[in-house]
Amino acid sequence: SIGAAGDELGLNLYVVGGFVRDLLLQRTVDDIDIVVEGDGIAFARYVAEKLNCRVNTHKKFGTAVVIVSEQIKVDVASARLEYYDFPAALPIVEKSSIKRDLARRDFTINTLALSLNADTFGTLIDYFGATRDLKDKTIRTIHNLSFVEDPTRIFRAIKFANRFGFDIGKVTANLIRNAIKVDCFKNLSGLRVLSELKQIFSEEDPIPAIRSMTDYGLEKVIHPRLEITPATYQILESANKTLTWHDLLYVQETYPRWAVYFMVLLHRCTFKVSEQICDRLMIPVGERQLLLETRYKAENRLGFIESNHPVSRQKLYWALINFNTVFVLYMMALTKNEAVRRDISNFYTQFRHVTPKIRGKDLIRIGVTPGPAFTKILNEVRNAKLDGHLDTREKEMD
Ligand code: ATP
């Protein structure tokens, strides 16, 4: 029905970019990006009205998001190349503006478009050799100044190569090296680098991408004193295993995967260098506190558990209960002690859930005055349960 809306308004419509690429690679697709040759915002409003759904518009960029449902959001962009025949004439929208739109993209594999209009429905448009490069499994830029124009594309090239198991083309790899040599990152906002790093660290297995980053010396772009050594890779591998273990058990639970990998990279840095990396990447205050202070707390806590091992369940519970998933997984990735790892995993899967069955009202009933005594009693009951003494509500009441 979106295609029909294009015909009704007399506009050319295309689904473009990642959607078409993933379709040809037979991968699951999530985002749908549409380009309209004309006013994308007016088109999006028209579709939203027809489908009776919400639409968000960004006038400045000529873009809109049609929120079809919680799962389906359609991004709409305007490809409009206006020129005027003579001053004050009505603008004429050039027909091939889709080509100009696609030419602004990062890599050939992202330049495909599929027509959505009825008479040309499903026609694949490939101006830049995208199908060839998908077949060759190669990441290639469209032009030679691509990385100088936008250095974040260097991270994107590595991300896509890693995700699809593609190679970065020879010329493109040289362009990356040259762009790094001329210090193209000097004026790049830390926020944009951070956003790309988060995307790489959120991939299923980011390790090959991290290797590729270090092959190009990109870690030095983040901070000259950031070292990624064989020991770092060992912890990264361990993080991979830990996260896979977690995600198989807790399919529904989401947490910032990227943060675990990022903390592993910061692990060997001094506090000062970690702080400077956070500054460089413009990491917001809340996340910064987690990556610096809370990470140190977690590392110290792990050190305590390792040096006191074996520790009772009670001790383990109170040592870990205030750390959320990301830090528990980080500790599991970090430890080289198998028994400690097993204990932490047992904490996570089993006894972090241990809570007294009795409640405050039960205590009032037996004559305890509400106040600090409550917490003390309930914690003692919890401790006894952790040690396996109390398995029924009646025993707790005793
Ligand atoms: P993903 O599956 O990671 O979302 P995607 O290809 O959809 O992959 P997005 O980051 O959502 O990637 O970008 C959407 C489209 O915008 C891409 O297909 C790409 O063509 C274009 N694009 C994104 N970032 C850039 C950039 N820095 N330079 C040029 N084009 C870009």
Side-chain angles (χ1 to χ4, degrees):
S1 64
I2 289 181
D7 289 329
E8 282 154 29
L9 296 179
L11 295 168
N12 289 331
L13 277 194
Y14 307 88
V15 53
V16 295
F19 183 93
V20 189
R21 175 199 70 211
D22 290 347
L23 203 68
L24 293 192
L25 289 173
Q26 299 183 324
R27 293 174 63 95
T28 49
V29 285
D30 35 35
D31 302 344
I32 305 175
D33 288 305
I34 284 183
V35 170
V36 179
E37 280 185 325
D39 185 347
I41 291 185
F43 169 78
R45 289 212 173 104
Y46 182 79
V47 171
E49 204 177 303
K50 262 181 73 157
L51 299 179
N52 195 20
C53 63
R54 268 190 325 126
V55 59
N56 293 334
T57 59
H58 309 278
K59 278 222 177 74
K60 195 172 149 203
F61 301 108
T63 59
V65 186
V66 181
I67 301 153
V68 181
S69 69
E70 201 44 55
Q71 285 82 35
I72 307 174
K73 298 187 177 76
V74 181
D75 282 308
V76 179
S78 315
R80 204 148 56 145
L81 192 76
E82 291 171 356
Y83 63 91
Y84 300 84
D85 264 0
F86 52 90
L90 284 173
I92 296 167
V93 176
E94 199 182 78
K95 270 281 182 269
S96 71
S97 52
I98 181 69
K99 182 171 178 182
R100 303 248 175 178
D101 183 276
L102 297 170
R104 287 188 290 115
R105 287 163 193 264
D106 43 8
F107 306 111
T108 57
I109 58 163
N110 289 334
T111 60
L112 286 166
L114 272 178
S115 167
L116 291 180
N117 296 88
D119 54 349
T120 47
F121 192 86
T123 307
L124 184 67
I125 293 167
D126 180 6
Y127 289 115
F128 303 99
T131 34
R132 173 203 64 204
D133 289 344
L134 284 175
K135 234 182 249 146
D136 291 353
K137 297 177 176 286
T138 308
I139 307 291
R140 286 201 180 94
T141 54
I142 298 167
H143 63 87
N144 289 351
L145 288 175
S146 194
F147 296 119
V148 177
E149 203 175 271
D150 179 358
T152 56
R153 291 174 185 161
I154 297 176
F155 292 98
R156 293 176 61 82
I158 291 171
K159 174 183 75 179
F160 289 126
N162 179 37
R163 187 190 298 169
F164 304 133
F166 282 20
D167 286 325
I168 295 176
K170 245 197 191 136
V171 174
T172 301
N174 276 331
L175 294 174
I176 292 181
R177 285 188 207 100
N178 285 339
I180 294 173
K181 223 182 277 164
V182 302
D183 207 6
C184 64
F185 288 97
K186 208 170 49 204
N187 299 319
L188 184 66
S189 131
L191 274 182
R192 295 200 57 213
V193 179
L194 178 65
S195 154
E196 294 302 331
L197 283 179
K198 281 185 177 177
Q199 288 181 44
I200 289 180
F201 296 157
S202 303
E203 295 281 318
E204 206 171 300
D205 174 9
I207 296 177
I210 295 172
R211 271 189 209 286
S212 176
M213 276 169 50
T214 53
D215 287 346
Y216 287 109
L218 278 174
E219 77 280 22
K220 301 296 179 204
V221 165
I222 299 168
H223 195 288
R225 303 226 339 246
L226 179 60
E227 308 267 353
I228 303 180
T229 63
T232 318
Y233 282 109
Q234 262 182 12
I235 309 175
L236 288 169
E237 295 287 352
S238 168
N240 256 7
K241 277 196 215 126
T242 306
L243 300 198
T244 307
W245 164 83
H246 175 272
D247 297 355
L248 279 172
L249 283 176
Y250 301 93
V251 182
Q252 299 291 333
E253 198 184 320
T254 55
Y255 60 96
R257 274 175 77 91
W258 68 269
V260 180
Y261 292 105
F262 194 68
M263 290 194 293
V264 173
L265 295 193
L266 293 182
H267 174 56
R268 290 262 166 214
C269 297
T270 62
F271 193 78
K272 189 145 182 249
V273 169
S274 296
E275 272 187 320
Q276 287 169 349
I277 291 175
C278 289
D279 288 343
R280 166 70 181 108
L281 299 177
M282 298 163 85
I283 294 183
V285 187
E287 279 182 357
R288 189 188 162 96
Q289 175 138 23
L290 294 175
L291 295 171
L292 297 175
E293 280 86 7
T294 315
R295 173 171 62 89
Y296 272 89
K297 276 191 199 140
E299 288 171 6
N300 287 336
R301 201 55 61 87
L302 177 66
F304 165 84
I305 297 168
E306 284 175 339
S307 52
N308 288 288
H309 201 263
V311 288
S312 67
R313 290 174 70 163
Q314 229 185 84
K315 272 219 174 84
L316 206 58
Y317 178 91
W318 294 109
L320 296 175
I321 193 63
N322 288 325
F323 290 101
N324 62 25
T325 299
V326 169
F327 293 97
V328 175
L329 297 178
Y330 176 59
M331 286 186 245
M332 282 178 68
L334 223 49
T335 187
K336 293 195 171 58
N337 183 330
E338 269 310 315
V340 168
R341 197 195 327 273
R342 206 165 335 112
D343 278 0
I344 302 178
S345 76
N346 283 337
F347 158 80
Y348 192 80
T349 53
Q350 297 164 31
F351 59 92
R352 79 181 151 125
H353 303 296
V354 168
T355 44
K357 283 201 176 73
I358 55 166
R359 300 263 162 253
K361 60 177 194 279
D362 298 313
L363 296 181
I364 294 173
R365 201 152 32 83
I366 57 170
V368 185
T369 324
F374 261 51
T375 322
K376 196 160 172 266
I377 295 172
L378 290 175
N379 279 344
E380 273 171 23
V381 170
R382 188 195 307 263
N383 284 342
K385 286 184 73 129
L386 284 166
D387 288 340
H389 301 319
L390 302 175
D391 42 14
T392 65
R393 191 165 178 280
E394 286 63 39
K395 283 191 196 160
E396 285 182 21
M397 283 305 279
D398 281 351

